[in-house]
């Protein structure tokens, strides 16, 4: 994963806890880098170690860490210089979800080693979307839950998200049911 992800994890921990807590997490994860380079690709294992260590140090499940990170990621990327790209992806939650693959294509120009997930959204009823998520990476479904909640905040839209299928249960994708209401 790119350093942008690891830097965002660092900033989330420092913002919600403190620098000393981040140092404990880094030490437990055996991460020596003082600062992550945003455009540098790092092994996925490094990010997984950070999440596992954060879980142990903070006393939250790995899934909760990933969900919280997903929510944080939406705000972080907007403040880290990607606001225009986010704006181009849509003005409403349904429109943004529909354009996630296009968003990743645009980002891939800046991050040539990007291995983006794939999303497919389908409106199944009024104010209800089914979101299909496919990735070559394991264990990121909780982050999708957080991302959708963060996008709900971005678009001032109340969301209820439920995972209805999981790759961990043998399905070929993770599927989520999203019910939403504009505030």
């Amino acid at each position: 994963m790119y350093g942008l992800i690891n830097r965002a994890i660092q900033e989330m921990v420092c913002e919600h806890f403190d620098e000393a807590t981040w140092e404990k997490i880094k030490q437990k994860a055996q991460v020596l880098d003082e600062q992550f380079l945003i455009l540098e690709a790092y092994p996925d294992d490094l990010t997984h170690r950070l999440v596992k260590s954060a879980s142990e140090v903070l006393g939250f499940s790995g899934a909760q860490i990933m969900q919280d990170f997903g929510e944080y990621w939406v705000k972080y990327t907007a403040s880290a210089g990607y606001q225009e790209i986010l704006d181009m992806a849509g003005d409403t939650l349904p429109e943004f979800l529909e354009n996630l693959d296009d968003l990743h294509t645009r980002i891939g120009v800046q991050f040539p080693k990007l291995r983006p997930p794939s999303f497919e959204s389908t409106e199944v009823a009024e104010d209800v979307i089914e979101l299909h998520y496919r990735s070559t990476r394991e264990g990121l479904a909780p982050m999708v839950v957080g991302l959708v909640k963060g996008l709900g905040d971005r678009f001032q839209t109340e969301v209820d998200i439920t995972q209805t299928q999981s790759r961990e249960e043998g399905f070929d994708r993770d599927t989520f049911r999203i019910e939403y209401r504009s505030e």
Side-chain angles (χ1 to χ4, degrees):
M1 292 188 208
Y2 275 94
L4 182 65
I5 297 275
N6 298 325
R7 171 97 48 98
I9 292 170
Q10 175 181 355
E11 291 193 22
M12 181 181 79
V13 169
C14 291
E15 187 177 307
H16 291 102
F17 297 94
D18 56 30
E19 190 72 34
T21 302
W22 171 248
E23 289 301 321
K24 286 180 196 171
I25 290 168
K26 227 171 65 166
Q27 184 177 21
K28 190 169 200 59
Q30 299 177 339
V31 173
L32 304 176
D33 292 315
E34 289 300 314
Q35 186 169 338
F36 296 107
L37 302 175
I38 290 174
L39 297 176
E40 181 76 26
Y42 292 85
D44 287 0
D45 176 63
L46 184 145
T47 307
H48 290 295
R49 289 193 330 259
L50 286 172
V51 171
K52 183 177 189 284
S53 296
S55 173
E56 293 170 5
V57 169
L58 300 174
F60 298 114
S61 70
Q64 186 62 55
I65 297 284
M66 291 304 295
Q67 182 175 325
D68 291 348
F69 178 68
E71 286 185 64
Y72 184 81
W73 179 250
V74 174
K75 295 174 192 134
Y76 177 81
T77 53
S79 68
Y82 298 93
Q83 182 67 49
E84 284 185 34
I85 292 174
L86 294 172
D87 289 346
M88 290 173 27
D91 296 325
T92 65
L93 177 68
E95 188 177 306
F96 195 95
L97 294 175
E98 180 68 31
N99 291 317
L100 279 171
D101 283 359
D102 291 338
L103 172 78
H104 284 107
T105 299
R106 284 189 207 105
I107 291 170
V109 171
Q110 192 171 19
F111 296 93
K113 295 179 184 173
L114 185 68
R115 292 183 0 228
S118 177
F119 293 91
E120 178 186 334
S121 68
T122 307
E123 187 174 343
V124 294
E126 185 174 341
D127 298 338
V128 180
I129 294 171
E130 190 172 77
L131 183 66
H132 301 280
Y133 163 71
R134 291 179 177 86
S135 177
T136 59
R137 296 182 164 99
E138 299 288 329
L140 298 180
M143 184 177 171
V144 174
V145 172
L147 287 168
V148 170
K149 289 180 177 186
L151 288 169
D153 290 344
R154 175 179 170 81
F155 294 110
Q156 299 174 342
T157 301
E158 187 178 327
V159 296
D160 293 313
I161 179 169
T162 306
Q163 188 166 1
T164 58
Q165 289 183 344
S166 171
R167 284 181 32 197
E168 293 177 5
E169 296 171 350
F171 291 94
D172 68 338
R173 71 190 109 187
D174 293 290
T175 303
F176 304 89
R177 178 183 172 87
I178 302 164
E179 297 180 29
Y180 63 95
R181 291 163 294 294
S182 296
E183 296 174 354

